[in-house]
Amino acid sequence: MLSDNLLYVVLIGLVGIAALAANYVITSREAQNKFRADRLKWLKEQSEHTLHALGVLKEIGCRPDIVDKLNQHAMSLIEEISALAPDSDLMEEIARNKESTDRIKKRPQGFESDRAVRRAQIYLNFAEKLLLEMGKKGRLTPQLAQAYQQELYWLNVSMVTEAHITQAERLLKNGEKHGALAHYKHGKAVLVRATIPQQQKQPLQQRLQAEIDKLQPKRDFGAGALADSLDDYLNQ
């Protein structure tokens, strides 16, 4: 009788251990699946943003070394997606997006709509933050990350300025001089506000000023009363 009870206790214990083991396996698998799903969601968002940013950089003629750094980062994200979900719809979608991005060439002219400019600014800002983050994580030297960030800031400024020039030229073709003048002045204001060395932005400023002067010649108010007074004094 005692032996029978002991056997029951042992069997109950084994069943309990088996249940705990099964529960641990199930819980671990659920945790792994959740981690995988969360990671894939993050990788999808990051890879899409990076590819869009890469496309914008190529459209505006960014320096090849910066484009290469972002391309390397995009490839690392895609490789991780391939490892986690090699035959998934996500992998196929990202691969197609990467191929499309690789075919993008520099635009011969600036962006022609405010919507396109705003979209480009969003991804330029994303690229700036990404490069600074890469510097913090040791994937770039801090000095190089800062230099890249400053280059992207200038690209952002010049891209907006060129967009104003493009839109002004389009308006001029339609005979809308006032609208064109407004765009040239807005482009000039963007350059004036930009924290960029004067020497770097001077060519664009001179180009804009030349167009502004064509549409709105400087007024000649004469020498003025002060100049007349000085002439009288000097002639005494």
Side-chain angles (χ1 to χ4, degrees):
M1 187 71 178
L2 182 60
S3 60
D4 290 343
N5 292 336
L6 183 60
L7 179 60
Y8 290 147
V9 171
V10 171
L11 289 173
I12 292 171
L14 290 174
V15 170
I17 292 172
L20 289 172
N23 183 66
Y24 174 78
V25 170
I26 293 171
T27 303
S28 298
R29 187 173 298 171
E30 289 176 349
Q32 289 173 357
N33 289 338
K34 185 178 185 307
F35 172 80
R36 178 177 175 277
D38 290 344
R39 184 64 178 173
L40 282 172
K41 180 181 178 182
W42 182 86
L43 288 168
K44 179 180 185 295
E45 293 174 352
Q46 290 299 307
S47 58
E48 287 176 346
H49 291 335
T50 303
L51 289 176
H52 286 314
L54 194 55
V56 168
L57 293 183
K58 295 178 73 173
E59 283 185 303
I60 61 180
C62 182
R63 281 168 39 181
D65 52 334
I66 298 179
V67 171
D68 184 58
K69 289 297 181 185
L70 256 69
N71 189 60
Q72 290 177 19
H73 179 69
M75 287 303 301
S76 68
L77 296 172
I78 293 171
E79 287 171 1
E80 188 173 351
I81 292 173
S82 178
L84 291 173
D87 300 319
S88 64
D89 293 339
L90 172 59
M91 185 61 210
E92 292 181 7
E93 179 185 350
I94 294 298
R96 286 195 301 269
N97 292 344
K98 181 64 169 65
E99 290 177 2
S100 298
T101 302
D102 290 341
R103 291 194 294 268
I104 293 176
K105 304 295 182 183
K106 182 181 177 181
R107 279 175 171 265
Q109 291 182 321
F111 293 98
E112 297 181 356
S113 70
D114 293 339
R115 182 178 179 181
V117 170
R118 286 194 294 270
R119 177 183 177 276
Q121 285 183 299
I122 287 171
Y123 289 113
L124 278 172
N125 291 336
F126 172 82
E128 280 189 53
K129 293 176 182 177
L130 177 59
L131 289 167
L132 290 175
E133 185 179 343
M134 291 169 71
K136 292 177 182 178
K137 292 182 177 180
R139 298 173 62 184
L140 292 173
T141 63
Q143 295 82 0
L144 189 58
Q146 188 66 32
Y148 283 171
Q149 185 270 330
Q150 291 174 354
E151 176 68 17
L152 290 187
Y153 173 72
W154 166 240
L155 275 177
N156 201 333
V157 171
S158 58
M159 180 267 297
V160 174
T161 305
E162 290 285 357
H164 279 297
I165 292 174
T166 297
Q167 294 180 50
E169 290 173 346
R170 188 180 71 247
L171 290 172
L172 277 177
K173 289 179 181 179
N174 296 328
E176 300 179 37
K177 293 184 178 181
H178 292 294
L181 181 60
H183 273 293
Y184 284 132
K185 287 184 174 182
H186 282 312
K188 181 181 177 181
V190 169
L191 283 178
V192 169
R193 291 194 300 266
T195 54
I196 298 291
Q198 182 61 33
Q199 184 178 4
Q200 188 173 2
K201 57 186 178 180
Q202 187 172 5
L204 260 181
Q205 279 185 317
Q206 291 176 340
R207 179 183 170 189
L208 283 164
Q209 190 61 56
E211 297 299 332
I212 291 171
D213 292 341
K214 288 179 186 177
L215 297 174
Q216 182 181 283
K218 294 180 180 178
R219 298 178 182 177
D220 184 4
F221 293 102
L226 178 59
D228 291 340
S229 298
L230 286 173
D231 287 342
D232 292 340
Y233 174 78
L234 293 172
N235 290 329
Q236 289 179 358

